[in-house]
Amino acid sequence: MGENPLEAICITIGRISMAVQTNLSKLIKIPQKPTNVQISVSPPTPTASMLAADSYPPHSTDTNTKAGPVTREELGRATWTFIHTLGAQYQEKPTRQQKKDVKELMAILSRIYPCKECADHFKEVLSSNPVQAGSQTEFSQWLCRVHNVVNRSLGKPTFPCEQVDARWGKLDCEHRMCDLQGTMTPFDKY
Ligand code: FAD
């Protein structure tokens, strides 16, 4: 043998390595790449169960939000929260436009509130208790009274209206930046 002995050793190691790989691949199942399979890049259409699950959309970071429809009670609580907060934040000296707006809002609620029975009942409540919105105190007390009318009709305890300011307040917003401005009508700025 006139060859380089190192070359012979390298060839032998290469053969042993090939033999080991061949035998190992027979023992271990290596996953095969799929062939002729189209990979979809669009997200899956959410099913009803996905939408109801807390985890949808998948990358949402808000873990406290329950997805899905609300109950009549949840809707009621949310709406009263909105209305009483509006009452707390209402101007002590409202503009004519602001008085008109809250009256219209109540009338609209009685037409489109998404619980027909509640909307119909509220329409009756409004007709026997016309909106009083001459000042912040007047409006928040009126709201308390009409909420109590609804409470009574549902067999719930009534709320002491002298405590309405303690229960509800202005929106907790930095530097009172969320306070309503009483100077402009919605169209003045255009
Ligand atoms: P809610 O009545 O929702 O009150 C929420 C919170 O407001 C209470 O926890 C309390 O801290 C405070 N509060 C209670 N009373 C007053 C008050 N007088 N003044 C100030 N704060 C108060 N449900 C029906 O089943 N049938 C109906 O016809 C109906 N009509 C509705 C009409 C409207 C306009 C609205 C907004 C809701 C209506 N609801 C109706 C829903 C119902 O009023 C309740 O919201 C729901 O039953 C949940 O009640 P709750 O006991 O959690 O407290």
Side-chain angles (χ1 to χ4, degrees):
M1 277 179 32
E3 292 170 13
N4 182 348
L6 270 179
E7 194 181 344
I9 292 168
C10 285
I11 290 169
T12 309
I13 290 172
R15 281 184 187 147
I16 293 169
S17 164
M18 285 290 287
V20 169
Q21 280 183 38
T22 308
N23 286 306
L24 270 180
S25 65
K26 283 178 191 165
L27 288 172
I28 305 165
K29 267 197 163 180
I30 296 171
Q32 299 293 308
K33 272 189 187 172
T35 52
N36 297 331
V37 173
Q38 291 217 333
I39 298 166
S40 167
V41 288
S42 53
T45 307
T47 60
S49 62
M50 285 166 83
L51 287 168
D54 287 352
S55 60
Y56 196 84
H59 301 298
S60 169
T61 52
D62 186 358
T63 50
N64 295 323
T65 309
K66 186 193 89 175
V70 294
T71 63
R72 185 200 290 223
E73 284 71 28
E74 287 168 331
L75 177 68
R77 277 190 288 276
T79 308
W80 287 123
T81 298
F82 163 61
I83 297 176
H84 287 298
T85 304
L86 178 69
Q89 207 143 320
Y90 192 67
Q91 296 285 103
E92 196 49 58
K93 286 187 180 155
T95 61
R96 189 185 297 201
Q97 181 68 46
Q98 286 170 331
K99 289 187 239 179
K100 189 167 175 269
D101 284 347
V102 291
K103 283 177 187 170
E104 272 177 18
L105 177 65
M106 296 303 135
I108 290 168
L109 259 188
S110 76
R111 293 199 295 272
I112 65 162
Y113 188 76
C115 151
K116 191 178 179 326
E117 188 190 320
C118 311
D120 288 347
H121 179 225
F122 196 54
K123 213 173 284 168
E124 288 171 22
V125 174
L126 285 184
S127 72
S128 40
N129 299 274
V131 180
Q132 294 177 10
S135 68
Q136 190 276 325
T137 308
E138 194 177 84
F139 185 45
S140 59
Q141 287 296 310
W142 175 83
L143 282 173
C144 184
R145 287 197 298 277
V146 293
H147 191 166
N148 275 338
V149 174
V150 175
N151 286 342
R152 268 187 227 103
S153 74
L154 298 175
K156 291 179 191 285
T158 54
F159 185 91
C161 287
E162 65 277 10
Q163 287 177 29
V164 82
D165 291 342
R167 170 63 181 89
W168 302 102
K170 293 185 176 198
L171 191 62
D172 186 9
C173 183
E174 211 178 345
H175 307 311
R176 302 251 57 89
M177 280 170 71
C178 307
D179 283 5
L180 291 171
Q181 301 300 312
T183 50
M184 288 191 295
T185 69
F187 306 105
D188 285 346
K189 56 187 169 185
Y190 299 113

